[in-house]
Amino acid sequence: MNVDLVVAGAGFFGLTVAERCASELGLRVLVLDRRGHIGGNAYSETDPETGVEVHRYGAHLFHTSNERVWEYANRFTAFTGYRHHVYSTFKGRVYPLPINLGTICAYFGRAFTPDEARALIAAQAAEVADPSNLEEKAISLIGRPLYEAFIRGYTAKQWRTDPRDLPAEIITRLPVRYTFDNRYFDDVHEGLPVDGYTAWLERMADHPRIEVRLGTDFLDLRGDTAGNVPVVYTGPLDRYFDYAEGDLGWRTLDFETEVLPTGDFQGTPVMNYADEDVPYTRIHEFRHFHPERRERHHPGKTVIMREYPRAAARGDEPYYPVNTAADRARLLAYRELARREDGVLFGGRLGTYRYLDMHMAIAAALSMVDNRLRPHFAEGARLNSGGVAE
Ligand code: FAD
Ligand code: UDP
């Protein structure tokens, strides 16, 4: 196939770029992925034994306040009314997350009004005035006792890095509420794709001008495309440059999936484990994501997945950028290389070394089409003007 654009990576970023370029700009797009399936980390499949949709790379919850992204996603799928709630087990007791009035009352063992809880946490948080890392930021938000119970052990397990060496931003993802509202996300829109993530992603790729080639590593083919066809690359930034500026730190996960002979293992979709001596961070029980599919699920069997984080070596799947100060210095060096790479745009979670949720990956891809690809294909603008997309 003669192509106008090559997209390396069939995750949400790559497929959004491909779909927009094919549908709106009329381009012929070749999408390559190393894996044997599309969808990147959002890929899911039905477990044949239980009839339950399993997210192969960890549970994926869709939520957004971006109207453009919501409208775009709804072109390819309808969403269920699912609202995410998470609980945490600490020293044999269960508490609601994110930290809210219910957590505070349960943890300190008495009833608090919102004002009393605010006063208690403000007094405990006062020990940190100017937070500069994750530990200090968390203490400044929730005080030391709650930090030590719910955050310190979990975060140390999840990032395999001392919380004092992690950036404060990671923890700003967790809201703290002085009400009993324990919805996990604050976004306007939330839900799960009615017929699963893979059906949604397949509809995005289903266009006569899009060809998807699986099991194909772009880096093995780049000699053939170099300089001829523009490329959007969504794989790991350091790997593209053969690690010339050193390895960027990534965290990977080992997933342990198990079918159990019970209709309900934990009564909720996600249970976090805050104790440092429990080796996994959380257990997902996928049937609870889709109560509306009850009839299709096996009544006496359930599928669970334990998540074990560890540092990624080369060859492991890089899931989360660790983003220490040393990583950020290397990232600047890679951005400089990317800026000089003619005809190649870098995007997505791996290509920009950023902690992007699905809605953020879609939003960033729509911006890349508007700000880089359309001006290039419609008006002949140079393609490498900014290097790595912000
Ligand atoms: P990816 O999905 O990683 O896709 C990149 C693709 O590029 C992959 O398929 C990879 O195989 C391919 N690739 C890499 N290198 C090459 C190469 N050289 N040649 C060809 N192909 C290549 N987001 C949410 O909104 N809600 C959640 O609840 C949520 N939970 C998550 C849980 C986990 C465990 C993880 C890891 C992520 C989670 N996310 C969640 C984030 C979500 O997965 C990302 O936002 C989304 O995957 C980003 O899409 P992407 O296209 O940038 O990257
Ligand atoms: N976190 C924590 N305890 C919890 C849940 C989260 O300390 O029970 C911290 C942890 O550092 C994590 C961050 O909050 O990396 C963001 O949590 P989230 O659930 O958003 O992470 P993700 O689902 O992306 O892994």
Side-chain angles (χ1 to χ4, degrees), residues 8-198:
F12 266 114
F13 192 97
L15 287 182
T16 302
V17 166
E19 190 282 328
R20 288 291 73 206
C21 287
S23 299
E24 214 174 86
L25 306 184
L27 304 177
R28 293 158 305 171
V29 186
L30 175 61
V31 180
L32 308 174
D33 205 293
R34 295 166 79 182
R35 293 175 174 169
H37 60 74
I38 64 164
N41 290 337
Y43 176 75
S44 69
E45 59 203 342
T46 302
D47 168 55
E49 206 177 333
T50 56
V52 171
E53 179 184 348
V54 173
H55 303 184
R56 194 193 280 181
Y57 304 95
H60 276 65
L61 297 317
F62 189 75
H63 54 95
T64 185
S65 294
N66 181 323
E67 291 302 331
R68 186 179 184 203
V69 168
W70 181 242
E71 185 278 320
Y72 181 68
N74 274 274
R75 293 185 199 178
F76 306 99
T77 183
F79 288 88
T80 67
Y82 178 79
R83 300 287 175 264
H84 196 42
H85 293 94
V86 177
Y87 292 84
S88 180
T89 297
F90 175 63
K91 292 194 192 303
R93 289 172 188 256
V94 175
Y95 301 87
L97 286 183
I99 292 179
N100 66 83
L101 199 45
T103 325
I104 295 170
C105 291
Y107 184 77
F108 293 104
R110 53 159 277 217
F112 285 88
T113 66
D115 284 345
E116 286 168 349
R118 254 194 208 94
L120 173 81
I121 301 302
Q124 292 176 350
E127 68 170 277
V128 175
D130 188 15
S132 66
N133 59 49
L134 190 152
E135 173 163 310
E136 291 173 3
K137 180 71 186 177
I139 292 174
S140 77
L141 289 170
I142 60 174
R144 189 176 285 277
L146 292 173
Y147 163 73
E148 289 185 349
F150 297 109
I151 309 296
R152 188 175 61 191
Y154 186 96
T155 299
K157 285 194 290 186
Q158 184 154 5
W159 296 93
R160 299 287 152 182
T161 302
D162 190 313
R164 284 168 293 200
D165 293 330
L166 287 168
E169 300 88 75
I170 291 177
I171 215 68
T172 50
R173 287 163 60 84
L174 274 186
V176 182
R177 303 199 190 103
Y178 293 98
T179 67
F180 287 99
D181 174 8
N182 71 325
R183 263 186 72 179
Y184 203 66
F185 302 117
D186 284 327
D187 280 316
V188 178
H189 305 290
E190 182 178 347
L192 292 170
V194 166
D195 47 7
Y197 279 98
T198 299

Side-chain angles (χ1 to χ4, degrees), residues 175-383:
V176 182
R177 303 199 190 103
Y178 293 98
T179 67
F180 287 99
D181 174 8
N182 71 325
R183 263 186 72 179
Y184 203 66
F185 302 117
D186 284 327
D187 280 316
V188 178
H189 305 290
E190 182 178 347
L192 292 170
V194 166
D195 47 7
Y197 279 98
T198 299
W200 169 9
L201 289 148
E202 277 171 351
R203 282 183 211 115
M204 291 179 76
D206 182 18
H207 190 285
R209 282 191 290 273
I210 296 178
E211 182 190 331
V212 178
R213 217 174 283 168
L214 299 174
T216 308
D217 192 325
F218 166 74
L219 298 182
D220 293 339
L221 298 183
R222 73 172 138 184
D224 305 344
T225 56
N228 306 326
V229 185
V231 171
V232 172
Y233 174 83
T234 74
L237 184 58
D238 50 0
R239 184 166 178 262
Y240 180 94
F241 291 106
D242 207 15
Y243 307 97
E245 301 291 345
D247 292 48
L248 290 168
W250 297 94
R251 192 166 59 79
T252 193
L253 299 171
D254 293 320
F255 298 110
E256 184 183 83
T257 307
E258 202 180 347
V259 174
L260 298 173
T262 172
D264 196 351
F265 170 73
Q266 62 183 16
T268 194
V270 180
M271 179 63 75
N272 288 2
Y273 287 84
D275 299 282
E276 207 164 344
D277 56 356
V278 175
Y280 40 85
T281 45
R282 53 188 174 185
I283 299 182
H284 307 281
E285 186 176 13
F286 291 101
R287 67 186 305 124
H288 294 297
F289 287 123
H290 288 282
E292 79 288 355
R293 295 182 189 162
R294 205 170 290 118
E295 301 302 314
R296 283 186 266 159
H297 293 159
H298 194 293
K301 288 184 183 179
T302 196
V303 54
I304 64 163
M305 184 188 255
R306 296 186 188 84
E307 236 179 76
Y308 299 83
R310 62 180 168 82
R314 284 186 200 176
D316 285 325
E317 289 289 348
Y319 289 131
Y320 292 86
V322 179
N323 219 352
T324 59
D327 288 322
R328 288 195 292 277
R330 279 183 212 113
L331 177 60
L332 289 180
Y334 279 118
R335 283 192 179 154
E336 196 43 48
L337 290 179
R339 212 184 313 279
R340 286 187 255 137
E341 194 73 0
D342 242 341
V344 181
L345 297 179
F346 294 80
R349 187 158 164 136
L350 305 170
T352 56
Y353 195 67
R354 286 172 64 213
Y355 198 147
L356 297 180
D357 276 330
M358 292 177 281
H359 64 286
M360 296 157 82
I362 294 170
L366 293 172
S367 299
M368 181 184 276
V369 173
D370 286 350
N371 301 331
R372 304 281 174 80
L373 293 164
R374 193 194 317 270
H376 172 73
F377 285 104
E379 295 145 30
R382 277 189 68 198
L383 201 54

